Amino acid sequence: MNLLTVDLEDWFHVCEVEHLLPKEKWDDLPSAVVADTETLLGVLEQSGFHATFFVVGYVARKHPQLIERLHREGHEIAFHGWDHELVYSLKPDEFRCILRRGIRTIEALIGKRPIGFRAPQWSINDRALWALDILAEEGFVYDSSMAPLKFIGNESYPSSPHLIKTASGCLREFPPLTLWTPFGRYPAGGGWGLRCLPISILKRQVHSLNAVGEPAVFFFHPREFGGKHPIKGLPTVKRFVVEAGVWSSRIQLLKLLKEFQFTSIERFLSSPPNMTIFMPKSPL
Ligand SMILES: [Zn+2]
């Protein structure tokens, strides 16, 4: 089994562009998350697989029926921050408040609390390892926020699912699929990395992981499946990250669904394999 995840956010939830898309203006922007998610679900429904949807609190508040529908259809509802905030930009108490608000909101909608968290832009890294303790303290079972990649994470992080010991118990960590290149690790599990990667290389990597009993973790965004909402003035690097190869998202997902088995992280955890323990250390 491989793990299919979706970061359930609107097209304007892009980190580090607050000067272009200030939070105060979000309510005035044309939301596309419902229509885009329906397109994505149309692709998924043909396969019969379930996915984990990491929901931004803002989206849950604005579109509660979408969350209820996903839950009704057997998908997992997990949490992706309230306003899509970078975790390392928060103070520990602020992070805890956001988690509690997310738990309350999701529980009120679907009658059960989320057990998983994914930080926007993989923002639990060496600058925010304290967040892992808080996640465990607040009752989260797993996290999917630590990328074994340069710049946004740390290449020394494990690339397979593993256990992290915290002061409040163990947390299971699900890193996104990456593959090793002469230039370092490449982000193959989603975003521009997945969209621009030849499918044959992607398939080979997933087959080799599955052969040793490891799942590959994939992630998609509704905006990759919907109408275009170009963001004016995006810096070049951000534009590449958001838009490069975006037309191929649907094709890549269809090919993956045809070749491999997928499930949500929650369903995967109902019979989890043994996982090695990793102790991330803050840099001195
Ligand atoms: Zn996100």
Side-chain angles (χ1 to χ4, degrees):
M1 278 289 179
N2 296 289
L3 303 173
L4 190 59
T5 72
V6 177
D7 293 354
L8 196 75
E9 58 200 49
D10 222 316
W11 62 272
F12 44 83
H13 291 132
V14 178
C15 291
E16 298 170 310
V17 294
E18 288 79 8
H19 59 297
L20 299 172
L21 296 164
K23 223 187 281 186
E24 307 72 52
K25 297 272 168 69
W26 287 357
D27 286 350
D28 302 329
L29 297 171
S31 171
V33 68
V34 175
D36 293 352
T37 305
E38 279 170 359
T39 309
L40 193 163
L41 286 174
V43 179
L44 253 187
E45 270 159 16
Q46 297 160 26
S47 72
F49 296 138
H50 293 108
T52 295
F53 285 77
F54 290 99
V55 177
V56 170
Y58 175 90
V59 173
R61 184 173 64 81
K62 298 283 282 185
H63 308 285
Q65 288 168 346
L66 177 63
I67 313 306
E68 288 162 354
R69 174 186 167 187
L70 292 167
H71 174 64
R72 227 177 17 250
E73 292 181 2
H75 301 293
E76 178 190 2
I77 305 299
F79 190 45
H80 191 44
W82 191 265
D83 280 331
H84 205 251
E85 49 283 280
L86 294 166
V87 172
Y88 56 69
S89 70
L90 299 169
K91 294 191 177 75
D93 280 352
E94 292 172 328
F95 181 56
R96 192 187 298 278
C97 284
I98 286 168
L99 290 182
R100 289 183 178 177
R101 193 177 177 196
I103 293 168
R104 272 199 313 274
T105 303
I106 290 171
E107 201 168 15
L109 287 175
I110 65 167
K112 74 187 258 223
R113 51 171 297 152
I115 62 163
F117 178 76
R118 173 173 289 154
Q121 203 174 279
W122 311 100
S123 55
I124 296 184
N125 54 22
D126 291 344
R127 296 162 69 184
L129 295 176
W130 47 263
L132 298 168
D133 288 324
I134 296 178
L135 282 168
E137 282 166 23
E138 295 300 321
F140 282 85
V141 172
Y142 75 87
D143 175 60
S144 181
S145 308
M146 298 176 72
L149 294 164
K150 270 184 213 162
F151 309 121
I152 58 168
N154 187 324
E155 281 194 321
S156 73
Y157 296 162
S159 58
S160 320
H162 55 279
L163 283 173
I164 293 178
K165 271 192 178 170
T166 78
S168 303
C170 274
L171 202 58
R172 291 175 190 274
E173 180 67 36
F174 288 88
L177 174 67
T178 54
L179 51 90
W180 194 249
T181 74
F183 308 102
R185 286 205 163 270
Y186 176 92
W192 66 267
L194 170 70
R195 300 189 304 252
C196 299
L197 191 65
I199 194 74
S200 56
I201 298 177
L202 196 53
K203 283 182 182 176
R204 207 180 313 137
Q205 179 72 0
V206 179
H207 277 301
S208 68
L209 284 174
N210 291 174
V212 294
E214 280 183 20
V217 179
F218 286 95
F219 63 97
F220 292 88
H221 301 87
R223 65 171 165 268
E224 294 171 314
F225 292 80
K228 277 195 114 188
H229 284 278
I231 303 169
K232 278 186 197 141
L234 267 190
T236 309
V237 174
K238 274 282 172 207
R239 185 166 299 285
F240 179 81
V241 168
V242 173
E243 295 181 0
V246 76
W247 55 271
S248 71
S249 307
R250 185 171 182 277
I251 300 165
Q252 295 285 69
L253 178 58
L254 275 169
K255 286 178 180 167
L256 289 168
L257 294 173
K258 206 171 160 197
E259 181 93 3
F260 301 103
Q261 299 287 309
F262 285 93
T263 191
S264 66
I265 298 178
E266 185 179 38
R267 285 172 191 252
F268 176 81
L269 283 174
S270 61
S271 52
N274 287 331
M275 291 183 184
T276 51
I277 295 174
F278 174 69
M279 301 287 284
K281 298 218 169 30
S282 297
L284 294 173

Short mmCIF file of all heavy atoms in Angstrom, two decimals, residues 48-75:
data_model
loop_
_atom_site.label_atom_id
_atom_site.label_comp_id
_atom_site.label_asym_id
_atom_site.label_seq_id
_atom_site.Cartn_x
_atom_site.Cartn_y
_atom_site.Cartn_z
N GLY A 48 -11.47 3.94 -6.45
CA GLY A 48 -12.03 3.36 -5.21
C GLY A 48 -11.11 3.52 -4.01
O GLY A 48 -11.43 3.06 -2.92
N PHE A 49 -9.97 4.16 -4.17
CA PHE A 49 -9.04 4.33 -3.05
C PHE A 49 -9.46 5.50 -2.15
O PHE A 49 -10.12 6.44 -2.61
CB PHE A 49 -7.62 4.62 -3.55
CG PHE A 49 -7.01 3.49 -4.33
CD1 PHE A 49 -6.29 3.74 -5.49
CD2 PHE A 49 -7.14 2.17 -3.92
CE1 PHE A 49 -5.72 2.72 -6.22
CE2 PHE A 49 -6.58 1.12 -4.64
CZ PHE A 49 -5.86 1.40 -5.80
N HIS A 50 -9.04 5.43 -0.90
CA HIS A 50 -9.27 6.53 0.03
C HIS A 50 -7.98 7.31 0.24
O HIS A 50 -6.89 6.77 0.07
CB HIS A 50 -9.78 6.00 1.37
CG HIS A 50 -11.14 5.39 1.26
ND1 HIS A 50 -11.37 4.03 1.33
CD2 HIS A 50 -12.35 5.97 1.04
CE1 HIS A 50 -12.66 3.80 1.17
NE2 HIS A 50 -13.27 4.95 0.99
N ALA A 51 -8.15 8.58 0.61
CA ALA A 51 -6.98 9.44 0.81
C ALA A 51 -7.08 10.15 2.15
O ALA A 51 -8.15 10.18 2.77
CB ALA A 51 -6.91 10.47 -0.32
N THR A 52 -5.96 10.72 2.58
CA THR A 52 -5.95 11.61 3.74
C THR A 52 -6.03 13.04 3.24
O THR A 52 -5.21 13.44 2.40
CB THR A 52 -4.65 11.43 4.55
OG1 THR A 52 -4.63 10.11 5.09
CG2 THR A 52 -4.55 12.43 5.68
N PHE A 53 -6.99 13.81 3.75
CA PHE A 53 -7.10 15.22 3.40
C PHE A 53 -6.64 16.05 4.59
O PHE A 53 -7.29 16.05 5.64
CB PHE A 53 -8.55 15.58 3.01
CG PHE A 53 -8.92 15.09 1.64
CD1 PHE A 53 -9.23 13.75 1.42
CD2 PHE A 53 -8.95 15.96 0.56
CE1 PHE A 53 -9.56 13.28 0.15
CE2 PHE A 53 -9.29 15.51 -0.71
CZ PHE A 53 -9.59 14.17 -0.92
N PHE A 54 -5.50 16.72 4.44
CA PHE A 54 -5.00 17.63 5.47
C PHE A 54 -5.70 18.98 5.26
O PHE A 54 -5.38 19.70 4.31
CB PHE A 54 -3.49 17.78 5.37
CG PHE A 54 -2.72 16.55 5.78
CD1 PHE A 54 -2.22 15.68 4.83
CD2 PHE A 54 -2.49 16.26 7.12
CE1 PHE A 54 -1.52 14.53 5.19
CE2 PHE A 54 -1.80 15.12 7.50
CZ PHE A 54 -1.30 14.26 6.53
N VAL A 55 -6.64 19.28 6.15
CA VAL A 55 -7.54 20.41 5.94
C VAL A 55 -7.03 21.68 6.62
O VAL A 55 -6.69 21.65 7.81
CB VAL A 55 -8.93 20.04 6.52
CG1 VAL A 55 -9.89 21.21 6.40
CG2 VAL A 55 -9.49 18.81 5.82
N VAL A 56 -6.99 22.76 5.87
CA VAL A 56 -6.69 24.07 6.46
C VAL A 56 -7.95 24.53 7.22
O VAL A 56 -9.06 24.45 6.69
CB VAL A 56 -6.31 25.08 5.35
CG1 VAL A 56 -6.23 26.51 5.90
CG2 VAL A 56 -4.98 24.69 4.72
N GLY A 57 -7.78 25.03 8.45
CA GLY A 57 -8.92 25.43 9.27
C GLY A 57 -9.81 26.45 8.57
O GLY A 57 -11.04 26.38 8.65
N TYR A 58 -9.20 27.38 7.87
CA TYR A 58 -9.96 28.40 7.14
C TYR A 58 -10.93 27.74 6.15
O TYR A 58 -12.08 28.16 6.02
CB TYR A 58 -8.96 29.31 6.39
CG TYR A 58 -9.60 30.35 5.49
CD1 TYR A 58 -9.92 31.61 5.98
CD2 TYR A 58 -9.88 30.06 4.15
CE1 TYR A 58 -10.51 32.56 5.15
CE2 TYR A 58 -10.47 31.00 3.32
CZ TYR A 58 -10.78 32.25 3.82
OH TYR A 58 -11.36 33.18 3.01
N VAL A 59 -10.48 26.69 5.48
CA VAL A 59 -11.32 25.98 4.51
C VAL A 59 -12.44 25.23 5.23
O VAL A 59 -13.59 25.22 4.78
CB VAL A 59 -10.47 25.02 3.65
CG1 VAL A 59 -11.35 24.15 2.76
CG2 VAL A 59 -9.48 25.81 2.80
N ALA A 60 -12.13 24.63 6.37
CA ALA A 60 -13.16 23.90 7.13
C ALA A 60 -14.25 24.87 7.59
O ALA A 60 -15.44 24.53 7.57
CB ALA A 60 -12.52 23.22 8.33
N ARG A 61 -13.85 26.08 7.98
CA ARG A 61 -14.83 27.07 8.45
C ARG A 61 -15.68 27.58 7.28
O ARG A 61 -16.90 27.74 7.41
CB ARG A 61 -14.09 28.24 9.11
CG ARG A 61 -15.01 29.28 9.72
CD ARG A 61 -14.25 30.32 10.51
NE ARG A 61 -13.33 31.12 9.69
CZ ARG A 61 -13.69 32.16 8.95
NH1 ARG A 61 -14.96 32.53 8.89
NH2 ARG A 61 -12.80 32.84 8.22
N LYS A 62 -15.06 27.79 6.13
CA LYS A 62 -15.79 28.36 4.99
C LYS A 62 -16.60 27.31 4.22
O LYS A 62 -17.60 27.64 3.60
CB LYS A 62 -14.78 29.00 4.01
CG LYS A 62 -13.99 30.14 4.57
CD LYS A 62 -14.78 31.41 4.66
CE LYS A 62 -14.90 32.10 3.33
NZ LYS A 62 -15.56 33.41 3.45
N HIS A 63 -16.13 26.07 4.21
CA HIS A 63 -16.78 25.04 3.38
C HIS A 63 -17.01 23.76 4.20
O HIS A 63 -16.49 22.69 3.85
CB HIS A 63 -15.91 24.73 2.16
CG HIS A 63 -15.52 25.95 1.38
ND1 HIS A 63 -16.39 26.62 0.55
CD2 HIS A 63 -14.34 26.63 1.33
CE1 HIS A 63 -15.78 27.67 0.02
NE2 HIS A 63 -14.54 27.70 0.47
N PRO A 64 -17.79 23.87 5.27
CA PRO A 64 -17.98 22.69 6.15
C PRO A 64 -18.57 21.48 5.40
O PRO A 64 -18.23 20.35 5.73
CB PRO A 64 -18.93 23.20 7.24
CG PRO A 64 -19.56 24.45 6.69
CD PRO A 64 -18.56 25.04 5.75
N GLN A 65 -19.43 21.75 4.41
CA GLN A 65 -20.06 20.61 3.72
C GLN A 65 -19.05 19.78 2.93
O GLN A 65 -19.23 18.57 2.74
CB GLN A 65 -21.17 21.10 2.80
CG GLN A 65 -22.37 21.57 3.62
CD GLN A 65 -23.38 22.35 2.81
OE1 GLN A 65 -23.09 22.77 1.69
NE2 GLN A 65 -24.56 22.56 3.38
N LEU A 66 -17.99 20.43 2.48
CA LEU A 66 -16.95 19.71 1.75
C LEU A 66 -16.26 18.71 2.69
O LEU A 66 -16.01 17.55 2.33
CB LEU A 66 -15.92 20.70 1.17
CG LEU A 66 -14.74 20.08 0.44
CD1 LEU A 66 -15.18 19.29 -0.79
CD2 LEU A 66 -13.73 21.17 0.02
N ILE A 67 -15.99 19.16 3.92
CA ILE A 67 -15.31 18.29 4.89
C ILE A 67 -16.23 17.12 5.26
O ILE A 67 -15.80 15.96 5.32
CB ILE A 67 -14.95 19.08 6.18
CG1 ILE A 67 -14.27 20.42 5.84
CG2 ILE A 67 -14.10 18.24 7.13
CD1 ILE A 67 -13.08 20.34 4.94
N GLU A 68 -17.51 17.45 5.47
CA GLU A 68 -18.47 16.39 5.82
C GLU A 68 -18.58 15.36 4.69
O GLU A 68 -18.64 14.16 4.94
CB GLU A 68 -19.85 17.01 6.10
CG GLU A 68 -19.88 17.77 7.42
CD GLU A 68 -21.05 18.76 7.51
OE1 GLU A 68 -21.78 18.93 6.51
OE2 GLU A 68 -21.21 19.37 8.57
N ARG A 69 -18.58 15.83 3.46
CA ARG A 69 -18.68 14.91 2.31
C ARG A 69 -17.46 13.99 2.24
O ARG A 69 -17.59 12.77 2.04
CB ARG A 69 -18.81 15.73 1.02
CG ARG A 69 -18.78 14.85 -0.20
CD ARG A 69 -18.77 15.60 -1.50
NE ARG A 69 -18.43 14.67 -2.58
CZ ARG A 69 -18.20 15.04 -3.82
NH1 ARG A 69 -18.29 16.31 -4.18
NH2 ARG A 69 -17.88 14.15 -4.74
N LEU A 70 -16.28 14.57 2.39
CA LEU A 70 -15.05 13.76 2.32
C LEU A 70 -15.07 12.66 3.38
O LEU A 70 -14.72 11.50 3.12
CB LEU A 70 -13.81 14.66 2.50
CG LEU A 70 -13.54 15.64 1.36
CD1 LEU A 70 -12.50 16.68 1.78
CD2 LEU A 70 -13.07 14.89 0.12
N HIS A 71 -15.49 13.06 4.58
CA HIS A 71 -15.56 12.09 5.69
C HIS A 71 -16.59 11.00 5.38
O HIS A 71 -16.33 9.81 5.57
CB HIS A 71 -15.93 12.83 6.98
CG HIS A 71 -16.18 11.93 8.13
ND1 HIS A 71 -15.20 11.13 8.68
CD2 HIS A 71 -17.32 11.65 8.84
CE1 HIS A 71 -15.71 10.42 9.67
NE2 HIS A 71 -16.99 10.72 9.78
N ARG A 72 -17.75 11.43 4.88
CA ARG A 72 -18.82 10.47 4.54
C ARG A 72 -18.34 9.47 3.49
O ARG A 72 -18.72 8.30 3.50
CB ARG A 72 -20.00 11.27 3.98
CG ARG A 72 -21.33 10.87 4.57
CD ARG A 72 -22.51 11.68 4.09
NE ARG A 72 -22.38 12.46 2.90
CZ ARG A 72 -22.35 13.80 2.86
NH1 ARG A 72 -22.39 14.48 3.99
NH2 ARG A 72 -22.26 14.45 1.72
N GLU A 73 -17.49 9.93 2.59
CA GLU A 73 -17.03 9.04 1.52
C GLU A 73 -15.84 8.17 1.95
O GLU A 73 -15.24 7.49 1.13
CB GLU A 73 -16.68 9.88 0.28
CG GLU A 73 -17.94 10.50 -0.33
CD GLU A 73 -17.69 11.34 -1.57
OE1 GLU A 73 -16.54 11.42 -2.03
OE2 GLU A 73 -18.67 11.91 -2.08
N GLY A 74 -15.48 8.26 3.22
CA GLY A 74 -14.47 7.35 3.75
C GLY A 74 -13.05 7.88 3.75
O GLY A 74 -12.11 7.16 4.09
N HIS A 75 -12.87 9.15 3.36
CA HIS A 75 -11.53 9.72 3.38
C HIS A 75 -11.20 10.19 4.80
O HIS A 75 -12.09 10.48 5.59
CB HIS A 75 -11.45 10.91 2.41
CG HIS A 75 -11.76 10.53 0.99
ND1 HIS A 75 -10.94 9.71 0.25
CD2 HIS A 75 -12.82 10.82 0.19
CE1 HIS A 75 -11.47 9.52 -0.95
NE2 HIS A 75 -12.62 10.19 -1.01
#
